[in-house]
Amino acid sequence: MTLNATTSHTVGPYYHIGLTWLNREDLANAGTLGERVAITGQVVDGNGDVVNDAMLEVWQANAAGKYDHPEDDQDKALDPNFEGFGRVPVDGEGRFRFSTIKPGSVPGLKGTTQAPHLVVLVFARGLVKHLLTRIYFDGEAANGDDPLLACVPAERRRTLVAKADAAGVYQWNVVLQGTDEETVFFDY
Amino acid sequence: MSDKPGYRRPQAGTQPDYLHPAYQSTNLRSPSKPLVFLPHSLSEITGPTIGAERIAEHDNDLTAQHDGEPQGERIIIHGRVLDENGLPVPGILVEIWQANAAGRYNHKRDLHDAPLDPNFTGTGRTVTDADGWYQFQTIKPGAYPWGNHHNAWRPAHIHFSLFGPSVLTRLVTQMYFPGDPLLAYDPIYNCVPDTSAKERLIASFDLEKTVPHYALGYRWDIVLRGRDATPMEK
Ligand SMILES: [Fe+2]
């Protein structure tokens, strides 16, 4: 039997009623292994106006590069203090901020290795289907060999790479639409 | 190690394009540049597993979350979550939210001039059982106006959010009710061309699930993306 997946519809403006119970400011806890990172940014639309009713979902591996999921059969340790998931709301100015640990490298397809990254889903009123993108970390040597970054036009790769500011906080924005800075979104 | 299978790509016409001008909010929020094709790696065939341990007693009964009963027509919605290969999807989180019987959301940004109901929040969640079944008890939400175009009204609907076994099965959608005259005019319901895909968003009345002298039953099945039979390449 072959069925077709149910059609996606927007979360609309009132998703908070159903979804904010899984919001997380910090995906890690005091016992989580790994290098702490804070990531902040803003969601904007095609006019550069802030999007104050968006929501992000973040999924990532632990510091060893292992996903807390049965499909990950790598011989690496799970971290009992890390699930790797969180919902991240935006405020009235479309800003978000969350803390986590930097994930380890995970395998890619065909024997490749992926640079440390977070998978990010973007939901909002006006997004009939959620967007999928990634956050990589500026300065990671492995970025140069990442098989997915290699699929992205070179001039657009920077939209996927968070840069640390003077205080060490990674900056990464979600530009839903735009001439130059539009974030790279993936056909998943 | 050979690569594990990815997920089937959507059948044409069954999933919306990001730009759908009739739904005005898409005009400035849809990407204008080409999407980059994503091969399905370990990062996407995994995903959060949020199970029954986080669900509390009345989470799937939206009529039992306050001291009194909410206003409105009591209903039971149930159905089965399957994947595209027809297999049940057990143990996954299903979250819902909805307007009250008057068509008003318990949300500070909802300014519709209709009464709030002190006995109704509109939040529900549950986990599918071993055969993929879920069930909620709630009240039928009212239709409500919105600013998309002149005299725009959303048909009565319940918002659904499901995880499934991976990032790629994540689904947020809306369930509608049979016979609603507003469906024909709704740009969100009509955001895909495939008629059968649209009609699968409408629950069916379920007499067997209907409880005499108590509540009307509705059946709504949900399909999540399914795995490819074989890995794309060795
Ligand atoms: Fe709604």
Side-chain angles (χ1 to χ4, degrees), chain A residues 18-171:
Chain A
L19 302 182
T20 52
W21 70 294
L22 288 176
N23 283 358
R24 299 278 182 274
E25 286 176 17
D26 196 341
L27 277 59
N29 66 34
T32 307
L33 302 173
E35 178 194 340
R36 304 276 151 169
V37 288
I39 298 170
T40 185
Q42 202 169 23
V43 183
V44 299
D45 71 10
N47 275 345
D49 292 331
V50 302
V51 174
N52 64 10
D53 53 7
M55 174 185 90
L56 309 182
E57 285 183 354
V58 178
W59 171 243
Q60 65 168 103
N62 69 20
K66 170 99 174 166
Y67 286 103
D68 183 5
H69 189 277
E71 285 286 332
D72 187 338
D73 49 19
Q74 297 178 87
D75 186 21
K76 294 176 177 174
L78 283 170
D79 182 342
N81 288 303
F82 194 64
E83 173 188 19
F85 172 74
R87 280 186 179 144
V88 179
V90 301
D91 67 15
E93 271 67 59
R95 290 189 184 283
F96 58 87
R97 182 188 173 99
F98 65 98
S99 302
T100 184
I101 51 100
K102 192 186 274 191
S105 289
V106 299
L109 299 173
K110 300 176 197 165
T112 57
T113 299
Q114 305 191 68
H117 64 271
L118 315 181
V119 176
V120 180
L121 306 183
V122 184
F123 300 82
R125 172 177 62 85
L127 286 177
V128 283
K129 191 169 62 168
H130 55 269
L131 294 163
L132 188 154
T133 184
R134 283 187 177 190
I135 299 174
Y136 289 84
F137 298 90
D138 189 37
E140 281 286 333
N143 288 348
D145 297 321
D146 183 82
L148 189 60
L149 282 176
C151 297
V152 174
E155 71 281 6
R156 299 190 65 199
R157 278 176 206 154
R158 62 196 154 97
T159 70
L160 299 176
V161 181
K163 272 197 158 69
D165 66 13
V169 175
Y170 281 93
Q171 305 287 322

